[in-house]
Amino acid sequence: MRKTPSHRAGRALLAVALLLPFTGCAGEGPRSVKGKHTLRVGVKYDQPGIGMRRPDGTFEGFDVEVARYVATKLGAKDVEFVGLTSGQREDYLLHRKVDLVIATYSITAKRKTIVTYAGPYYVAHQDIMVRADDTSVSGLRDLKDKRLCQSQGSNSVLRVTEEHGIPATLVPAASYGECFTKLTAGQVDAVTTDDLILAGFALQQPKAVRLVNTKFTDEKWGIGLHRSDVRGCEEVNRAVTGMYQDGTAERLLKRWFGPTGVEVTTTVPQFEGCS
């Protein structure tokens, strides 16, 4: 049958009608963490003192406590924790599997093109951990030709091998928990990452390992949000400021890391700015 102008007009109107729900969604703007009833927060699950999953399935650690504080300030009534590895952080934010990532998530220029960062909520310093009886490592240069554990998704070893040009044999691991196990088992010679992460593991077996105490970077731990949530980022920054001003940050740092002897910073970090 020949299509008349009225038929063609009808089909055009139908097509527009089918598209309206989708264009309407686009006009609603990005979903923000501000004011959500339940916040899903990605945290580490195998880092003592930072983010650790208990046998009953609940989580504990410094990052976990920071997450609870920030969520309350954002107006959330409930927090659901999701355990993740370093390599999963961007994917979980991009695909909205979590609303926030608070998981020793160092701010880098590359990552800022993928996610939005609030904070930093803490500035750590990269250090080195070796077995307690290993006297061959007293500084960064001593890592030459050593077996260095490389946790998936982490940039820490690249600061040694690329930024400082120190040749080392990289031994892959799924997480820093696995790196710690490899170190104590003699499968690697050293683990290098942020001092608070290393300090947490050192508490598990204080006689088996030691920190070299050669702090050679500033690691700005940010709170990751979906790339579109600039408004939420600004609200998170307000919460982090309050956390330091009311003494909560100092209390949490001393609670989780005081026994390690690691020197902690208790003043508000300089924020990177939301963009």
Side-chain angles (χ1 to χ4, degrees), residues 22 26 37 47 54 58 73 77-78 85 88 124 213 225 265:
F22 299 97
H37 183 276
Q47 290 185 357
R54 300 188 186 105
T58 59
K73 294 298 182 180
K77 304 302 180 185
D78 191 23
T85 65
Q88 293 174 321
N213 196 29
L225 301 90
T265 303

Side-chain angles (χ1 to χ4, degrees), residues 131 147-150 171 179 182-191:
R131 286 181 293 279
R147 295 172 299 169
L148 190 59
C149 193
Q150 181 178 27
V171 179
C179 280
K182 287 180 179 292
L183 178 65
T184 55
Q187 297 172 359
V188 298
D189 300 310
V191 180

